[in-house]
Amino acid sequence: QVQLVESGGGLVQTGESLTLSCLASGSLGGVDIRGWYRQAPGKEREFIASTKLHWDLSTYSDSIKGRFTISIDNSKNTHYLQMTNMKPEDTGVYYCTARREYRGSTMEEYWGQGTQVTVSR
């Protein structure tokens, strides 16, 4: 089992920046894909970004590309979402994830409890 704990959510104004953190613990062997999703009020949960441990390869949603950056600090078992030039449409609950894949299929997937991010106009 893997436990994920997010932190860093809050209220910011349009154009400001915010960084979310996600601390992973537990049986992390092979659980090497880390990501972020968000759910805006009244909308479905959407993919934001993902990256793979020890690989310089990240994937981003078009809606945030160029403004958000995902990163990992392996020594701290923590991954981050750096958000810049934030917009009101970035408001929502942000969830971090960790998963293990095998040949393209998800074998295990874990979710954090979510952290609220609100961007005011």
Coordinates of all heavy atoms in Angstrom, one line a residue, residues 20-118:
L20 N 2.2 22.9 -5.1 CA 1.6 21.8 -4.3 C 2.7 20.7 -4.1 O 3.5 20.5 -5.0 CB 0.4 21.2 -5.1 CG -0.7 22.2 -5.5 CD1 -1.8 21.4 -6.2 CD2 -1.2 22.9 -4.2
S21 N 2.6 20.1 -3.0 CA 3.5 19.0 -2.7 C 2.7 17.7 -2.4 O 1.6 17.8 -1.9 CB 4.3 19.3 -1.4 OG 5.1 20.5 -1.6
C22 N 3.3 16.6 -2.7 CA 2.7 15.3 -2.4 C 3.7 14.3 -1.9 O 4.7 13.9 -2.6 CB 2.1 14.7 -3.7 SG 1.3 13.1 -3.5
L23 N 3.6 14.0 -0.6 CA 4.5 13.1 0.0 C 4.0 11.7 -0.1 O 2.9 11.4 0.4 CB 4.7 13.5 1.5 CG 5.5 12.6 2.4 CD1 7.0 12.5 1.9 CD2 5.5 13.0 3.8
A24 N 4.9 10.8 -0.6 CA 4.5 9.4 -0.7 C 5.2 8.5 0.3 O 6.3 8.8 0.6 CB 4.9 8.9 -2.1
S25 N 4.5 7.6 0.8 CA 5.1 6.6 1.8 C 4.5 5.3 1.6 O 3.4 5.1 1.0 CB 4.8 7.1 3.2 OG 3.5 7.2 3.5
G26 N 5.1 4.3 2.2 CA 4.6 2.9 2.1 C 5.5 2.1 1.1 O 6.6 2.3 1.0
S27 N 4.8 1.1 0.5 CA 5.5 0.2 -0.4 C 5.6 0.8 -1.8 O 4.8 0.7 -2.7 CB 4.8 -1.1 -0.5 OG 4.6 -1.7 0.8
L28 N 6.7 1.6 -2.0 CA 6.9 2.4 -3.2 C 7.6 1.7 -4.3 O 7.8 2.3 -5.4 CB 7.6 3.7 -2.9 CG 6.9 4.6 -1.9 CD1 7.7 5.8 -1.5 CD2 5.5 5.1 -2.5
G29 N 8.1 0.5 -4.1 CA 8.8 -0.2 -5.1 C 8.0 -0.4 -6.4 O 7.0 -1.0 -6.4
G30 N 8.6 0.1 -7.5 CA 7.9 0.0 -8.8 C 6.8 1.0 -9.0 O 6.3 1.1 -10.2
V31 N 6.4 1.7 -8.0 CA 5.3 2.7 -8.2 C 6.0 4.0 -8.6 O 6.2 4.9 -7.8 CB 4.5 2.9 -6.9 CG1 3.4 3.9 -7.1 CG2 4.0 1.6 -6.4
D32 N 6.3 4.1 -9.9 CA 7.3 5.1 -10.3 C 6.7 6.2 -11.2 O 7.4 7.0 -11.7 CB 8.5 4.5 -11.0 CG 8.1 3.7 -12.2 OD1 6.9 3.6 -12.5 OD2 9.0 3.1 -12.8
I33 N 5.4 6.2 -11.4 CA 4.7 7.2 -12.2 C 3.9 8.1 -11.2 O 3.1 7.6 -10.5 CB 3.8 6.7 -13.2 CG1 4.6 5.8 -14.2 CG2 3.1 7.8 -14.0 CD1 3.8 5.1 -15.3
R34 N 4.2 9.4 -11.2 CA 3.6 10.3 -10.3 C 2.9 11.4 -11.1 O 3.3 11.8 -12.1 CB 4.6 11.0 -9.4 CG 5.5 10.0 -8.7 CD 4.8 9.1 -7.7 NE 5.6 8.0 -7.2 CZ 6.5 8.0 -6.2 NH1 6.7 9.2 -5.6 NH2 7.1 7.0 -5.9
G35 N 1.7 11.8 -10.6 CA 0.9 12.7 -11.3 C 0.0 13.6 -10.5 O 0.0 13.5 -9.3
W36 N -0.7 14.5 -11.2 CA -1.6 15.4 -10.6 C -2.9 15.4 -11.5 O -2.8 15.5 -12.7 CB -1.0 16.8 -10.5 CG 0.1 16.9 -9.5 CD1 1.4 16.8 -9.8 CD2 -0.1 17.2 -8.1 NE1 2.1 17.0 -8.6 CE2 1.2 17.2 -7.6 CE3 -1.2 17.4 -7.3 CZ2 1.5 17.4 -6.2 CZ3 -0.9 17.6 -5.9 CH2 0.4 17.6 -5.4
Y37 N -4.0 15.5 -10.8 CA -5.3 15.7 -11.4 C -6.0 16.8 -10.7 O -5.6 17.2 -9.6 CB -6.2 14.4 -11.3 CG -5.8 13.3 -12.2 CD1 -4.6 12.6 -12.0 CD2 -6.6 12.9 -13.3 CE1 -4.2 11.5 -12.9 CE2 -6.2 11.9 -14.2 CZ -5.0 11.2 -13.9 OH -4.7 10.2 -14.8
R38 N -7.1 17.3 -11.3 CA -7.9 18.3 -10.6 C -9.3 18.1 -11.0 O -9.7 17.6 -12.0 CB -7.4 19.7 -10.9 CG -7.8 20.2 -12.3 CD -7.3 21.6 -12.5 NE -7.6 22.1 -13.8 CZ -7.0 23.1 -14.4 NH1 -6.1 23.8 -13.7 NH2 -7.3 23.5 -15.6
Q39 N -10.2 18.6 -10.1 CA -11.6 18.5 -10.3 C -12.2 19.9 -10.0 O -12.2 20.3 -8.8 CB -12.3 17.5 -9.5 CG -13.8 17.3 -9.8 CD -14.3 16.0 -9.3 OE1 -13.7 15.4 -8.4 NE2 -15.4 15.5 -9.9
A40 N -12.7 20.6 -11.0 CA -13.3 21.9 -10.8 C -14.8 21.7 -10.4 O -15.4 20.6 -10.7 CB -13.3 22.6 -12.1
P41 N -15.4 22.7 -9.8 CA -16.8 22.5 -9.3 C -17.7 22.2 -10.5 O -17.7 22.9 -11.5 CB -17.1 23.9 -8.8 CG -15.8 24.5 -8.4 CD -14.8 23.9 -9.4
G42 N -18.5 21.1 -10.3 CA -19.4 20.7 -11.4 C -18.8 20.0 -12.6 O -19.6 19.8 -13.5
K43 N -17.5 19.7 -12.5 CA -16.9 19.1 -13.7 C -16.3 17.8 -13.3 O -16.1 17.5 -12.1 CB -15.9 20.0 -14.3 CG -16.4 21.3 -14.9 CD -15.3 22.1 -15.6 CE -15.9 23.4 -16.2 NZ -14.9 24.1 -17.0
E44 N -15.9 17.0 -14.3 CA -15.3 15.7 -14.0 C -13.8 16.0 -13.7 O -13.2 17.0 -14.1 CB -15.4 14.8 -15.2 CG -16.8 14.4 -15.5 CD -16.9 13.4 -16.6 OE1 -15.8 13.1 -17.3 OE2 -18.0 12.9 -16.9
R45 N -13.2 15.0 -13.0 CA -11.8 15.1 -12.7 C -11.0 15.0 -14.0 O -11.3 14.2 -14.9 CB -11.4 13.9 -11.8 CG -10.1 14.1 -11.1 CD -9.9 13.0 -10.1 NE -10.9 13.0 -9.0 CZ -10.8 12.2 -8.0 NH1 -9.9 11.3 -7.8 NH2 -11.8 12.4 -7.0
E46 N -10.0 15.9 -14.1 CA -9.2 15.9 -15.3 C -7.7 15.7 -15.0 O -7.2 16.1 -14.0 CB -9.4 17.2 -16.1 CG -8.9 18.4 -15.3 CD -8.9 19.7 -16.2 OE1 -8.7 19.6 -17.5 OE2 -9.0 20.8 -15.7
F47 N -7.0 15.1 -16.0 CA -5.6 14.9 -15.9 C -4.9 16.3 -16.0 O -5.3 17.1 -16.9 CB -5.1 14.0 -17.0 CG -3.6 14.0 -17.2 CD1 -2.8 13.2 -16.4 CD2 -3.0 14.7 -18.2 CE1 -1.4 13.2 -16.6 CE2 -1.7 14.7 -18.4 CZ -0.9 13.9 -17.6
I48 N -3.8 16.5 -15.2 CA -3.0 17.7 -15.3 C -1.6 17.4 -15.8 O -1.2 18.0 -16.8 CB -3.0 18.4 -13.9 CG1 -4.3 18.9 -13.5 CG2 -2.0 19.6 -14.0 CD1 -5.0 19.9 -14.5
A49 N -0.9 16.6 -15.1 CA 0.5 16.3 -15.4 C 0.9 15.0 -14.8 O 0.3 14.5 -13.8 CB 1.4 17.4 -14.9
S50 N 1.9 14.4 -15.5 CA 2.5 13.2 -14.9 C 4.0 13.1 -15.3 O 4.4 13.7 -16.3 CB 1.8 11.9 -15.4 OG 2.0 11.7 -16.7
T51 N 4.8 12.4 -14.5 CA 6.2 12.2 -14.8 C 6.6 10.8 -14.2 O 5.9 10.2 -13.4 CB 7.0 13.3 -14.2 OG1 8.3 13.3 -14.7 CG2 7.0 13.3 -12.7
K52 N 7.7 10.4 -14.7 CA 8.2 9.0 -14.2 C 9.6 9.2 -13.5 O 10.4 9.9 -14.0 CB 8.3 8.1 -15.5 CG 8.6 6.7 -15.1 CD 8.5 5.8 -16.4 CE 8.7 4.4 -16.0 NZ 8.5 3.5 -17.2
L53 N 9.7 8.5 -12.4 CA 10.9 8.5 -11.6 C 12.1 8.1 -12.5 O 12.0 7.2 -13.3 CB 10.8 7.6 -10.5 CG 10.0 8.0 -9.3 CD1 9.9 6.9 -8.3 CD2 10.5 9.2 -8.6
H54 N 13.2 8.9 -12.4 CA 14.5 8.6 -13.1 C 14.4 8.8 -14.6 O 15.4 8.5 -15.3 CB 14.9 7.2 -12.7 CG 14.9 6.8 -11.3 ND1 15.6 7.6 -10.4 CD2 14.2 5.9 -10.6 CE1 15.4 7.0 -9.2 NE2 14.5 6.0 -9.3
W55 N 13.3 9.3 -15.1 CA 13.2 9.6 -16.5 C 13.0 11.1 -16.7 O 12.2 11.7 -15.9 CB 12.0 8.8 -17.1 CG 12.3 7.4 -17.3 CD1 12.4 6.5 -16.3 CD2 12.3 6.6 -18.5 NE1 12.6 5.2 -16.8 CE2 12.5 5.3 -18.2 CE3 12.2 7.0 -19.8 CZ2 12.6 4.3 -19.1 CZ3 12.3 6.0 -20.8 CH2 12.5 4.7 -20.4
D56 N 13.6 11.7 -17.6 CA 13.3 13.1 -17.9 C 12.2 13.2 -18.9 O 12.4 13.6 -20.1 CB 14.6 13.7 -18.5 CG 14.5 15.2 -18.6 OD1 13.5 15.8 -18.0 OD2 15.3 15.8 -19.4
L57 N 11.0 12.8 -18.5 CA 9.9 12.7 -19.4 C 8.6 13.1 -18.6 O 8.3 12.4 -17.7 CB 9.8 11.4 -20.1 CG 8.6 11.2 -21.0 CD1 8.8 12.0 -22.2 CD2 8.5 9.7 -21.4
S58 N 8.0 14.2 -19.0 CA 6.8 14.6 -18.3 C 5.7 14.8 -19.4 O 6.0 15.2 -20.5 CB 7.0 15.8 -17.5 OG 8.0 15.6 -16.5
T59 N 4.5 14.7 -19.0 CA 3.3 14.9 -19.8 C 2.4 15.9 -19.2 O 2.2 15.8 -18.0 CB 2.6 13.6 -20.1 OG1 3.5 12.6 -20.6 CG2 1.4 13.8 -21.0
Y60 N 1.9 16.8 -20.0 CA 1.0 17.8 -19.5 C -0.3 18.0 -20.3 O -0.3 17.7 -21.5 CB 1.7 19.2 -19.5 CG 2.9 19.3 -18.7 CD1 4.2 19.0 -19.1 CD2 2.8 19.7 -17.3 CE1 5.3 19.1 -18.3 CE2 3.9 19.8 -16.5 CZ 5.2 19.5 -17.0 OH 6.3 19.6 -16.2
S61 N -1.3 18.4 -19.6 CA -2.6 18.7 -20.3 C -2.4 20.0 -21.0 O -1.6 20.9 -20.6 CB -3.7 18.9 -19.2 OG -4.8 19.6 -19.7
D62 N -3.0 20.2 -22.2 CA -2.9 21.4 -22.9 C -3.4 22.6 -22.2 O -3.0 23.7 -22.4 CB -3.7 21.2 -24.2 CG -3.1 20.3 -25.2 OD1 -1.8 20.1 -25.1 OD2 -3.8 19.8 -26.2
S63 N -4.4 22.4 -21.3 CA -4.9 23.5 -20.5 C -4.0 24.2 -19.6 O -4.2 25.4 -19.2 CB -6.2 23.1 -19.7 OG -5.8 22.2 -18.7
I64 N -2.9 23.6 -19.2 CA -1.9 24.1 -18.3 C -0.5 24.2 -18.8 O 0.4 24.7 -18.2 CB -2.0 23.4 -16.9 CG1 -1.8 21.9 -17.1 CG2 -3.3 23.7 -16.2 CD1 -0.3 21.5 -17.2
K65 N -0.3 23.6 -20.0 CA 1.0 23.6 -20.6 C 1.7 24.9 -20.7 O 1.1 25.9 -21.1 CB 1.0 22.9 -22.0 CG 2.3 22.4 -22.5 CD 2.2 21.6 -23.8 CE 1.4 20.3 -23.5 NZ 1.3 19.5 -24.8
G66 N 2.9 25.0 -20.2 CA 3.6 26.3 -20.2 C 3.5 27.1 -18.9 O 4.2 28.0 -18.7
R67 N 2.5 26.7 -18.1 CA 2.3 27.4 -16.8 C 2.6 26.5 -15.6 O 3.0 27.1 -14.6 CB 0.8 27.9 -16.8 CG 0.4 28.9 -17.9 CD -0.9 29.5 -17.6 NE -2.0 28.5 -17.6 CZ -2.8 28.3 -16.6 NH1 -2.6 28.9 -15.4 NH2 -3.8 27.4 -16.7
F68 N 2.3 25.2 -15.7 CA 2.5 24.3 -14.6 C 3.7 23.4 -14.9 O 4.0 23.1 -16.1 CB 1.3 23.4 -14.4 CG 0.1 24.1 -13.9 CD1 0.0 25.5 -13.8 CD2 -1.0 23.4 -13.5 CE1 -1.1 26.2 -13.4 CE2 -2.2 24.0 -13.1 CZ -2.2 25.4 -13.0
T69 N 4.5 23.0 -13.9 CA 5.6 22.1 -14.0 C 5.5 21.1 -12.9 O 5.4 21.4 -11.7 CB 6.9 22.9 -13.9 OG1 7.0 23.9 -14.8 CG2 8.1 22.0 -14.1
I70 N 5.7 19.8 -13.3 CA 5.7 18.7 -12.4 C 7.2 18.4 -12.1 O 8.0 18.4 -13.1 CB 4.9 17.5 -12.9 CG1 4.8 16.5 -11.8 CG2 5.5 17.0 -14.1 CD1 3.8 15.3 -12.1
S71 N 7.5 18.0 -10.9 CA 8.9 17.6 -10.6 C 8.8 16.6 -9.4 O 7.8 16.5 -8.7 CB 9.7 18.8 -10.2 OG 9.2 19.5 -9.1
I72 N 10.0 15.9 -9.3 CA 10.1 14.9 -8.2 C 11.4 15.2 -7.5 O 12.4 15.4 -8.1 CB 10.1 13.5 -8.8 CG1 8.8 13.2 -9.5 CG2 10.3 12.5 -7.7 CD1 8.7 11.8 -10.1
D73 N 11.3 15.1 -6.1 CA 12.5 15.0 -5.3 C 12.6 13.5 -4.8 O 11.9 13.2 -3.8 CB 12.5 16.0 -4.2 CG 13.8 16.0 -3.4 OD1 14.5 15.0 -3.3 OD2 14.0 17.1 -2.8
N74 N 13.4 12.7 -5.4 CA 13.4 11.3 -5.0 C 13.9 11.1 -3.6 O 13.4 10.2 -2.9 CB 14.4 10.5 -6.0 CG 13.8 10.5 -7.4 OD1 12.6 10.5 -7.6 ND2 14.7 10.5 -8.4
S75 N 14.8 11.9 -3.1 CA 15.3 11.8 -1.8 C 14.2 12.0 -0.7 O 14.4 11.6 0.4 CB 16.5 12.7 -1.6 OG 16.0 14.1 -1.6
K76 N 13.2 12.7 -1.1 CA 12.1 13.1 -0.2 C 10.8 12.3 -0.5 O 9.8 12.5 0.2 CB 11.9 14.6 -0.2 CG 13.0 15.4 0.3 CD 12.7 16.9 0.3 CE 13.8 17.7 0.8 NZ 13.5 19.2 0.7
N77 N 10.9 11.5 -1.5 CA 9.6 10.8 -1.9 C 8.5 11.7 -2.1 O 7.3 11.5 -1.8 CB 9.2 9.7 -0.9 CG 10.1 8.5 -0.9 OD1 10.7 8.2 -2.0 ND2 10.3 7.8 0.2
T78 N 8.8 12.9 -2.7 CA 7.8 13.9 -2.8 C 7.8 14.4 -4.3 O 8.8 14.6 -4.9 CB 8.1 15.1 -1.9 OG1 8.1 14.7 -0.5 CG2 7.1 16.2 -2.1
H79 N 6.6 14.6 -4.8 CA 6.5 15.2 -6.1 C 5.7 16.5 -6.0 O 4.9 16.7 -5.0 CB 6.0 14.3 -7.2 CG 4.6 13.8 -7.1 ND1 4.3 12.8 -6.2 CD2 3.5 14.0 -7.8 CE1 3.0 12.5 -6.3 NE2 2.5 13.2 -7.3
Y80 N 6.0 17.4 -6.9 CA 5.5 18.8 -6.8 C 4.7 19.2 -8.0 O 4.9 18.7 -9.1 CB 6.6 19.8 -6.6 CG 7.5 19.4 -5.4 CD1 8.6 18.6 -5.5 CD2 7.2 19.9 -4.1 CE1 9.4 18.3 -4.5 CE2 8.0 19.6 -3.0 CZ 9.1 18.8 -3.2 OH 9.9 18.5 -2.1
L81 N 3.8 20.2 -7.9 CA 3.2 20.8 -9.0 C 3.4 22.3 -8.8 O 2.8 22.9 -7.9 CB 1.7 20.5 -9.1 CG 1.0 21.0 -10.4 CD1 1.6 20.4 -11.6 CD2 -0.5 20.8 -10.3
Q82 N 4.3 22.9 -9.6 CA 4.5 24.3 -9.6 C 3.6 25.0 -10.5 O 3.6 24.7 -11.7 CB 6.0 24.6 -9.9 CG 7.0 24.0 -8.9 CD 8.4 24.2 -9.5 OE1 8.8 23.4 -10.3 NE2 9.1 25.2 -9.0
M83 N 2.7 25.9 -10.0 CA 1.7 26.5 -10.9 C 2.0 28.0 -10.9 O 2.2 28.7 -9.9 CB 0.3 26.3 -10.2 CG 0.0 24.8 -10.1 SD -1.6 24.5 -9.4 CE -1.4 25.0 -7.7
T84 N 2.1 28.6 -12.1 CA 2.4 30.0 -12.3 C 1.3 30.6 -13.2 O 0.5 29.9 -13.8 CB 3.8 30.2 -13.0 OG1 3.7 29.6 -14.3 CG2 4.9 29.5 -12.2
N85 N 1.3 31.9 -13.2 CA 0.3 32.7 -14.0 C -1.1 32.0 -13.8 O -1.8 31.7 -14.8 CB 0.7 32.7 -15.4 CG -0.1 33.6 -16.3 OD1 -0.7 34.6 -15.7 ND2 -0.1 33.4 -17.6
M86 N -1.5 31.9 -12.6 CA -2.8 31.1 -12.4 C -4.0 31.9 -12.8 O -4.0 33.2 -12.8 CB -2.8 30.7 -10.9 CG -1.7 29.8 -10.5 SD -1.9 29.1 -8.9 CE -3.3 28.0 -9.2
K87 N -5.0 31.2 -13.2 CA -6.3 31.7 -13.7 C -7.4 31.2 -12.9 O -7.3 30.2 -12.3 CB -6.4 31.3 -15.2 CG -5.3 31.7 -16.1 CD -5.5 31.1 -17.5 CE -4.3 31.5 -18.4 NZ -4.5 31.0 -19.7
P88 N -8.5 31.9 -12.9 CA -9.7 31.5 -12.2 C -10.2 30.1 -12.6 O -10.6 29.3 -11.7 CB -10.8 32.5 -12.5 CG -10.0 33.8 -12.8 CD -8.7 33.3 -13.4
E89 N -10.0 29.7 -13.8 CA -10.4 28.4 -14.3 C -9.4 27.3 -13.7 O -9.7 26.1 -13.9 CB -10.4 28.3 -15.8 CG -9.2 28.8 -16.5 CD -9.3 30.2 -16.9 OE1 -9.8 31.1 -16.2 OE2 -8.9 30.5 -18.1
D90 N -8.4 27.7 -13.0 CA -7.5 26.7 -12.4 C -8.1 26.3 -11.0 O -7.6 25.4 -10.3 CB -6.1 27.2 -12.1 CG -5.4 27.4 -13.4 OD1 -5.5 26.6 -14.4 OD2 -4.6 28.4 -13.5
T91 N -9.2 26.9 -10.6 CA -9.8 26.6 -9.3 C -10.3 25.2 -9.3 O -10.9 24.7 -10.3 CB -10.9 27.6 -9.0 OG1 -10.4 28.9 -8.8 CG2 -11.7 27.2 -7.8
G92 N -10.1 24.5 -8.2 CA -10.6 23.1 -8.0 C -9.9 22.4 -6.9 O -9.0 22.9 -6.2
V93 N -10.2 21.1 -6.8 CA -9.5 20.3 -5.8 C -8.5 19.5 -6.6 O -8.8 18.9 -7.6 CB -10.5 19.3 -5.2 CG1 -9.7 18.3 -4.2 CG2 -11.6 20.0 -4.4
Y94 N -7.2 19.6 -6.1 CA -6.1 19.0 -6.8 C -5.7 17.7 -6.1 O -5.6 17.7 -4.9 CB -4.9 19.9 -6.9 CG -5.1 21.0 -7.9 CD1 -6.0 22.0 -7.8 CD2 -4.3 21.0 -9.0 CE1 -6.2 23.0 -8.8 CE2 -4.4 22.0 -10.0 CZ -5.4 23.0 -9.9 OH -5.5 23.9 -10.8
Y95 N -5.6 16.6 -6.9 CA -5.2 15.3 -6.3 C -3.9 14.8 -6.9 O -3.7 14.9 -8.1 CB -6.3 14.3 -6.7 CG -7.7 14.6 -6.2 CD1 -8.6 15.3 -7.0 CD2 -8.1 14.1 -5.0 CE1 -9.8 15.6 -6.5 CE2 -9.4 14.3 -4.5 CZ -10.3 15.1 -5.3 OH -11.5 15.3 -4.8
C96 N -3.1 14.3 -6.0 CA -1.8 13.7 -6.5 C -2.1 12.2 -6.6 O -2.9 11.6 -6.0 CB -0.6 14.0 -5.6 SG -0.7 13.3 -4.0
T97 N -1.3 11.6 -7.5 CA -1.4 10.2 -7.8 C -0.1 9.5 -7.9 O 0.9 10.2 -8.1 CB -2.2 9.9 -9.1 OG1 -1.4 10.4 -10.2 CG2 -3.5 10.6 -9.1
A98 N -0.1 8.2 -7.7 CA 1.1 7.4 -7.9 C 0.7 6.1 -8.4 O -0.3 5.5 -7.9 CB 1.9 7.2 -6.6
R99 N 1.4 5.6 -9.4 CA 0.9 4.3 -10.0 C 2.1 3.5 -10.5 O 3.1 4.0 -10.8 CB -0.1 4.5 -11.1 CG 0.4 5.1 -12.4 CD -0.8 5.1 -13.4 NE -0.3 5.5 -14.7 CZ -0.2 6.8 -15.1 NH1 -0.6 7.8 -14.3 NH2 0.2 7.0 -16.4
R100 N 1.8 2.2 -10.6 CA 2.8 1.3 -11.2 C 2.1 0.7 -12.5 O 1.0 0.3 -12.5 CB 3.1 0.2 -10.2 CG 4.1 -0.9 -10.8 CD 4.5 -1.8 -9.7 NE 3.4 -2.7 -9.2 CZ 3.0 -3.8 -9.7 NH1 3.7 -4.3 -10.8 NH2 2.0 -4.5 -9.2
E101 N 2.9 0.8 -13.5 CA 2.4 0.2 -14.8 C 3.3 -1.0 -15.2 O 4.4 -1.1 -14.8 CB 2.5 1.3 -15.9 CG 1.5 2.4 -15.8 CD 1.5 3.3 -17.0 OE1 2.4 3.2 -17.8 OE2 0.5 4.1 -17.1
Y102 N 2.7 -1.8 -16.0 CA 3.4 -2.9 -16.6 C 2.9 -3.1 -18.0 O 1.7 -3.3 -18.3 CB 3.2 -4.2 -15.8 CG 3.9 -5.4 -16.4 CD1 5.3 -5.5 -16.3 CD2 3.2 -6.4 -17.0 CE1 6.0 -6.6 -16.8 CE2 3.9 -7.5 -17.6 CZ 5.3 -7.6 -17.5 OH 6.0 -8.6 -18.0
R103 N 3.8 -2.9 -18.9 CA 3.5 -3.0 -20.4 C 2.3 -2.1 -20.8 O 1.4 -2.5 -21.5 CB 3.3 -4.4 -20.8 CG 4.5 -5.3 -20.7 CD 4.3 -6.7 -21.2 NE 5.6 -7.4 -21.2 CZ 5.7 -8.7 -21.6 NH1 4.6 -9.3 -22.1 NH2 6.8 -9.3 -21.5
G104 N 2.3 -0.9 -20.2 CA 1.2 0.1 -20.5 C 0.0 -0.1 -19.8 O -0.9 0.8 -19.9
S105 N -0.2 -1.1 -18.9 CA -1.4 -1.2 -18.1 C -1.1 -0.8 -16.7 O -0.1 -1.1 -16.1 CB -1.8 -2.7 -18.2 OG -2.2 -3.1 -19.5
T106 N -2.1 -0.2 -16.1 CA -2.0 0.2 -14.7 C -2.2 -1.0 -13.8 O -3.2 -1.6 -13.8 CB -3.0 1.3 -14.3 OG1 -2.7 2.5 -15.1 CG2 -2.9 1.7 -12.9
M107 N -1.2 -1.3 -12.9 CA -1.2 -2.4 -12.0 C -1.7 -2.0 -10.6 O -2.4 -2.7 -9.9 CB 0.1 -3.1 -12.0 CG 0.7 -3.5 -13.3 SD -0.5 -4.5 -14.3 CE -0.5 -6.0 -13.3
E108 N -1.2 -0.8 -10.2 CA -1.6 -0.2 -8.9 C -1.8 1.3 -9.1 O -1.0 1.9 -9.9 CB -0.5 -0.4 -7.9 CG -0.1 -1.8 -7.6 CD 1.1 -1.8 -6.6 OE1 1.0 -1.2 -5.6 OE2 2.2 -2.4 -7.1
E109 N -2.7 1.9 -8.4 CA -2.9 3.3 -8.5 C -3.4 3.8 -7.2 O -4.3 3.2 -6.6 CB -3.9 3.7 -9.6 CG -3.9 5.2 -9.8 CD -4.7 5.6 -11.1 OE1 -5.7 4.9 -11.4 OE2 -4.2 6.4 -11.9
Y110 N -2.8 4.9 -6.7 CA -3.1 5.5 -5.4 C -3.4 7.0 -5.6 O -2.8 7.6 -6.5 CB -1.9 5.3 -4.5 CG -1.6 3.8 -4.3 CD1 -0.6 3.3 -5.1 CD2 -2.2 3.0 -3.4 CE1 -0.2 1.9 -5.0 CE2 -1.9 1.7 -3.3 CZ -0.9 1.1 -4.1 OH -0.6 -0.2 -4.0
W111 N -4.3 7.5 -4.7 CA -4.7 8.9 -4.8 C -4.5 9.5 -3.4 O -4.8 8.9 -2.4 CB -6.2 8.9 -5.2 CG -6.4 8.5 -6.6 CD1 -6.5 7.2 -7.1 CD2 -6.6 9.4 -7.7 NE1 -6.7 7.3 -8.4 CE2 -6.8 8.5 -8.9 CE3 -6.7 10.8 -7.9 CZ2 -7.0 9.1 -10.1 CZ3 -7.0 11.3 -9.2 CH2 -7.1 10.4 -10.3
G112 N -4.2 10.8 -3.5 CA -4.2 11.6 -2.3 C -5.6 12.0 -1.9 O -6.5 11.8 -2.7
Q113 N -5.7 12.7 -0.8 CA -7.1 13.1 -0.3 C -7.6 14.4 -1.0 O -8.8 14.7 -0.9 CB -7.0 13.3 1.2 CG -6.4 14.7 1.6 CD -4.9 14.8 1.6 OE1 -4.2 13.8 1.1 NE2 -4.4 15.9 2.0
G114 N -6.7 15.1 -1.7 CA -7.1 16.3 -2.4 C -6.8 17.5 -1.6 O -6.9 17.5 -0.4
T115 N -6.5 18.6 -2.3 CA -6.2 19.9 -1.7 C -6.9 21.0 -2.5 O -6.8 21.0 -3.7 CB -4.7 20.2 -1.5 OG1 -4.5 21.4 -0.7 CG2 -4.0 20.3 -2.8
Q116 N -7.6 21.9 -1.8 CA -8.3 22.9 -2.6 C -7.4 24.0 -3.0 O -6.6 24.6 -2.2 CB -9.4 23.5 -1.6 CG -10.2 24.6 -2.2 CD -11.1 24.2 -3.4 OE1 -11.8 23.1 -3.3 NE2 -11.2 24.9 -4.5
V117 N -7.6 24.4 -4.3 CA -6.9 25.6 -4.8 C -8.0 26.5 -5.4 O -8.8 26.1 -6.1 CB -5.9 25.2 -5.9 CG1 -5.4 26.4 -6.6 CG2 -4.8 24.3 -5.4
T118 N -7.9 27.8 -4.9 CA -8.9 28.7 -5.4 C -8.2 29.9 -5.9 O -7.3 30.5 -5.3 CB -9.8 29.2 -4.3 OG1 -10.5 28.0 -3.7 CG2 -10.9 30.2 -4.8

